[in-house]
Amino acid sequence: AFDDGSKIFSYNNVLIHTGFKSRRLKKLGMASVLLTSKNIEITGKDGRVIISAPLTEINGMSVQNQEVLDLYYEGILYTIRDPEKRFNSYKWWRAVDYIQREKLKMNLPE
């Protein structure tokens, strides 16, 4: 049942920024983020899907200051942070890393 796209976890009320290389980040606003066994989906408060990124196409992820999750998809940086600092970015990074390495058998650098 793992590869059926089932929900793993979600989080509401995160602040999303986007950017490219060294350019200044652009605020997209408050959103919800959802991790499934197949993708990460970020949905704005208006219900509009900002991104639906297949885990096989996420080029990189990192944790900044234990509270910000950065992910690269289609050459664009997305930063996810909780203004109240309750979002566990390490949990999200670790879950995606596990799925990519163990379930999807992606050959990732150490």
Side-chain angles (χ1 to χ4, degrees), residues 4-54:
D4 67 354
S6 56
K7 175 182 172 180
I8 296 173
F9 39 75
S10 62
Y11 196 86
N12 296 319
N13 299 318
V14 292
L15 182 58
I16 306 296
H17 287 83
T18 187
F20 182 74
K21 296 192 178 185
S22 62
R23 293 184 191 157
R24 186 180 187 133
L25 293 176
K26 176 183 172 186
K27 182 179 176 180
L28 296 183
M30 298 301 288
S32 298
V33 62
L34 166 69
L35 175 63
T36 72
S37 60
K38 292 187 175 190
N39 67 5
I40 289 181
E41 188 171 285
I42 300 172
T43 305
K45 288 295 182 186
D46 59 0
R48 177 181 54 93
V49 175
I50 297 170
I51 66 165
S52 182

Side-chain angles (χ1 to χ4, degrees), residues 69-108:
L69 181 68
D70 291 341
L71 71 91
Y72 290 89
Y73 173 64
E74 294 185 335
I76 299 172
L77 166 67
Y78 294 89
T79 66
I80 303 167
R81 79 175 67 225
D82 178 1
E84 296 181 18
K85 300 183 181 187
R86 295 183 182 150
F87 179 70
N88 186 338
S89 57
Y90 179 75
K91 174 177 88 172
W92 284 72
W93 172 83
R94 187 64 190 107
V96 170
D97 185 67
Y98 173 79
I99 294 168
Q100 288 178 327
R101 289 178 193 277
E102 302 299 325
K103 298 298 183 180
L104 301 174
K105 303 298 183 197
M106 293 174 64
N107 187 16
L108 302 173

